[in-house]
């Protein structure tokens, strides 16, 4: 596995003794996960998913056939309709791999149904009128209100724009037999993909939920799965903190929680990973935040946030620790221009690479935060590409399951999400509420 955790800066906060005391708890969590003996064990289908998909190829071929069929329409826009685990992973991968400025050689991925803002959805429909869009509607339950409303709006537009041909431009990813989205597929003849019963929303990024839209945008889902499969192999076969990066990370999180830290900040100096942090927040927040327990997952993008929340991290309540995602080799680089003068005070940096300055800013920040009593651990990834992102996604899924089981909660349910839904249905006058 190319993702390497570095715990050197944790030395002042976690002793070898702390790690060895916690190891047996994490080993037990690992057994619980792999032997499917814990709470929510019927939602562990994601554990061997990467190797299974690469082994059987059936799903990958179906995705590639759909990609070819849709490619002939030369879409300029792929609209992904979904919320939570049905959209965050796709957005995380897309933004990590896409250039910072528009690249017209690939379809643009846009999202709907992840919130209920009227302006956004009104503008979306107006925008799509002048585009050549294809729609991917994703909902495991097939009944979630936010994406269902957005899909109704987008569907109406597609039918107005393309008539009977609209059905060819809509693909659904949903349950095999249940839910309104499945019924729509049958009634309207949409091409569809199944989210397996044993994979919950926030663990579904490496199923058709993430693979289909990412393939439609022209990225390599084979490489994504190869990276994830490498992580699967390593993390499911090693049973010590020293040999298993996910066990080490899960142990560190639980020790720091035990020592009074209540917030984990996922920090990066690479803004293209900002949405990966959003995905991570959902994964850990929804998996661990129950029964009055769990670290609160938050995220920071540096240097940007050094000039806002940086003050709090350095000097505010000491309830924080930081996990950095550090990238060894940037996807591209640029030199600071050599102008042979010091009129801007930057003579000492001319000719230096921007990545070098970013790296030094990262090291400086980590040292400052450790001095400020913030425990820091780092996850080093070699590069931002499909392979590394696949590996990192799987690493976080596996760590999350171990961490939640170590904490004593079911990683795979989300009973708290129901509370607002019941109130909303009642306030909206939904029959039966
Ligand atoms: O992790 C989860 O299960 C949730 O966040 C879901 O992904 C989210 O609620 C969306 O549900 P659905 O895909 O059924 O529309």
């Amino acid at each position: 596995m190319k993702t390497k955790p570095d715990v050197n800066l944790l030395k002042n906060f976690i002793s070898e003794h702390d790690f060895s005391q916690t190891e047996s708890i994490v080993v037990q969590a690992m057994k619980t996960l792999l032997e499917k003996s814990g709470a929510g064990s019927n939602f562990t289908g994601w554990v061997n998913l990467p190797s299974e998909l690469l082994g059987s190829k059936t799903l990958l071929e179906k995705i590639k056939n759909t990609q070819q069929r849709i490619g002939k329409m030369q879409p300029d826009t792929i609209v992904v309709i979904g919320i939570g685990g049905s959209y965050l992973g796709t957005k995380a991968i897309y933004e990590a791999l896409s250039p910072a400025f528009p690249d017209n050689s690939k379809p643009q991925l846009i999202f709907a149904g992840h919130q209920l803002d009227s302006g956004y959805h009104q503008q979306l429909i107006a925008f799509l009128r002048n585009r050549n869009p294809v729609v991917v509607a994703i909902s495991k339950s097939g009944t979630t209100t936010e994406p269902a409303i957005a899909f109704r709006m987008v569907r109406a537009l597609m039918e107005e724009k393309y008539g009977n041909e609209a059905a060819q431009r809509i693909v659904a990813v949903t349950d095999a037999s249940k839910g309104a989205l499945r019924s729509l597929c049958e009634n309207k003849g949409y091409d569809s993909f199944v989210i397996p019963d044993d994979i919950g929303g926030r663990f579904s990024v490496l199923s058709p939920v993430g693979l289909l839209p990412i393939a439609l945008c022209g990225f390599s889902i084979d490489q994504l799965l190869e990276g994830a499969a490498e992580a699967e192999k390593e993390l499911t076969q090693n049973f010590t903190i020293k040999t298993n990066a996910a066990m080490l990370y899960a142990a560190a999180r639980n020790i720091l929680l035990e020592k009074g830290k209540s917030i984990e900040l996922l920090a990066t100096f690479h803004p293209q990973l900002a949405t990966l942090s959003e995905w991570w927040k959902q994964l850990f927040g929804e998996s661990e935040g129950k029964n009055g327990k769990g670290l609160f997952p938050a995220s920071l993008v540096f240097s940007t946030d050094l000039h806002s929340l940086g003050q709090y991290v350095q000097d505010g309540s000491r309830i924080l620790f930081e996990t950095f995602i550090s990238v060894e080799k940037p996807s591209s680089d640029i030199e600071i221009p050599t102008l042979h003068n010091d009129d801007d005070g930057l003579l000492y940096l001319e000719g230096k690479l921007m990545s070098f300055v970013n790296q030094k800013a990262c090291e400086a920040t980590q040292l400052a935060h450790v001095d400020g009593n913030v425990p820091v651990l780092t996850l080093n990834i070699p590069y931002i590409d499909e392979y590394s992102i696949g590996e990192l996604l799987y690493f976080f899924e596996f760590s999350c399951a171990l961490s939640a089981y170590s904490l004593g909660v079911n990683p795979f349910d989300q009973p708290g999400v129901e509370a607002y839904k019941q109130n909303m249905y009642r306030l909206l006058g939904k029959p039966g509420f």
Side-chain angles (χ1 to χ4, degrees):
M1 218 176 94
K2 293 177 180 151
T3 303
K4 300 271 178 241
D6 178 348
V7 291
N8 278 328
L9 292 175
L10 282 181
K11 279 191 180 126
N12 295 346
F13 306 95
I14 302 181
S15 66
E16 284 295 325
H17 179 70
D18 293 327
F19 272 126
S20 64
Q21 271 203 324
T22 308
E23 185 160 30
S24 58
I25 298 170
V26 187
V27 169
Q28 188 49 50
M30 174 106 157
K31 287 186 181 152
T32 303
L33 176 66
L34 298 181
E35 289 166 6
K36 298 183 185 291
S37 56
S41 61
N42 47 341
F43 285 102
T44 51
W46 55 273
V47 174
N48 298 115
L49 187 66
S51 60
E52 283 168 9
L53 293 182
L54 287 169
S56 96
K57 301 268 186 229
T58 321
L59 176 69
L60 293 181
E61 272 161 27
K62 182 167 155 61
I63 291 179
K64 283 170 194 169
N65 290 340
T66 304
Q67 187 183 5
Q68 269 182 5
R69 180 178 70 75
I70 299 248
K72 291 192 187 125
M73 299 171 190
Q74 301 186 314
D76 53 15
T77 310
I78 310 287
V79 190
V80 168
I81 299 177
I83 194 167
S86 290
Y87 101 103
L88 273 169
T90 299
K91 193 163 193 260
I93 301 169
Y94 178 73
E95 291 184 1
L97 300 177
S98 295
F101 299 97
D103 164 15
N104 295 330
S105 68
K106 286 184 173 156
Q108 185 187 358
L109 196 60
I110 60 174
F111 297 89
H114 54 302
Q115 32 84 350
L116 290 164
D117 182 70
S118 54
Y120 180 91
H121 287 89
Q122 186 278 327
Q123 289 164 37
L124 170 76
I125 298 302
F127 175 74
L128 291 178
R129 279 188 199 287
N130 302 318
R131 304 287 288 186
N132 181 21
V134 159
V135 179
V136 184
I138 309 177
S139 175
K140 169 136 196 223
S141 60
T143 54
T144 309
T145 309
E146 290 86 343
I149 294 173
F151 187 43
R152 176 181 269 242
M153 283 175 190
V154 172
R155 198 155 51 91
L157 182 266
M158 295 297 278
E159 286 170 8
E160 181 193 316
K161 200 168 149 85
Y162 297 106
N164 289 339
E165 211 213 295
Q168 308 301 311
R169 293 176 161 267
I170 295 173
V171 185
V173 184
T174 188
D175 187 83
S177 55
K178 295 188 293 288
L181 188 54
R182 175 53 62 197
S183 311
L184 275 167
C185 291
E186 270 143 39
N187 298 340
K188 301 270 185 177
Y190 303 145
D191 191 1
S192 70
F193 289 80
V194 170
I195 309 176
D197 280 347
D198 57 359
I199 301 180
R202 58 191 174 276
F203 288 84
S204 69
V205 58
L206 298 166
S207 78
V209 168
L211 296 178
L212 175 67
I214 287 301
L216 293 181
C217 290
F219 296 108
S220 169
I221 55 171
D222 294 286
Q223 279 302 302
L224 194 73
L225 285 173
E226 291 287 352
E230 180 62 30
E232 174 196 327
K233 194 168 138 209
E234 190 167 315
L235 300 178
T236 55
Q237 287 176 11
N238 290 295
F239 282 75
T240 66
I241 276 179
K242 284 209 165 57
T243 55
N244 187 319
M247 285 178 69
L248 179 66
Y249 178 47
R253 299 180 83 251
N254 277 283
I255 295 167
L256 291 167
L257 177 65
E258 203 47 31
K259 286 181 184 280
K261 303 297 176 190
S262 50
I263 297 177
E264 178 178 10
L265 300 168
L266 191 68
T268 181
F269 275 75
H270 305 281
Q272 64 271 47
L273 298 180
T275 306
L276 197 132
S277 298
E278 296 302 315
W279 171 84
W280 169 90
K281 285 197 285 207
Q282 188 214 355
L283 180 68
F284 280 84
E286 214 167 45
S287 300
E288 291 196 316
K290 46 198 76 153
N291 308 338
K293 295 184 182 179
L295 287 160
F296 184 81
S299 62
L300 298 166
V301 176
F302 294 148
S303 286
T304 314
D305 285 327
L306 289 174
H307 295 259
S308 73
L309 290 169
Q311 170 61 38
Y312 192 103
V313 179
Q314 190 65 44
D315 212 16
S317 295
R318 302 297 72 193
I319 51 173
L320 314 166
F321 74 92
E322 272 174 313
T323 300
F324 280 78
I325 302 181
S326 183
V327 183
E328 277 155 25
K329 195 170 180 309
S331 356
S332 57
D333 219 333
I334 185 166
E335 253 184 35
I336 296 172
T338 300
L339 302 177
H340 304 295
N341 71 47
D342 201 25
D343 53 1
D344 54 2
L346 291 182
L347 187 67
Y348 76 107
L349 287 179
E350 62 179 33
K352 297 263 189 319
L353 289 171
M354 192 79 173
S355 62
F356 168 79
V357 181
N358 204 27
Q359 179 56 31
K360 294 300 154 201
C362 178
E363 287 167 27
T365 304
Q366 293 184 335
L367 292 174
H369 290 177
V370 169
D371 281 347
N373 226 355
V374 177
V376 163
L377 74 116
T378 304
L379 299 168
N380 291 302
I381 65 168
Y383 197 67
I384 300 180
D385 60 4
E386 286 93 330
Y387 189 97
S388 303
I389 295 295
E391 204 183 79
L392 190 61
L393 293 170
Y394 187 91
F395 165 79
F396 277 135
E397 288 180 347
F398 201 84
S399 306
C400 178
L402 296 188
S403 184
Y405 275 142
S406 302
L407 187 64
V409 299
N410 176 354
F412 307 115
D413 65 356
Q414 52 285 325
V417 179
E418 284 309 306
Y420 97 92
K421 286 190 192 169
Q422 302 302 315
N423 287 340
M424 182 173 76
Y425 293 152
R426 189 171 41 77
L427 294 173
L428 287 172
K430 184 172 176 168
F433 286 84

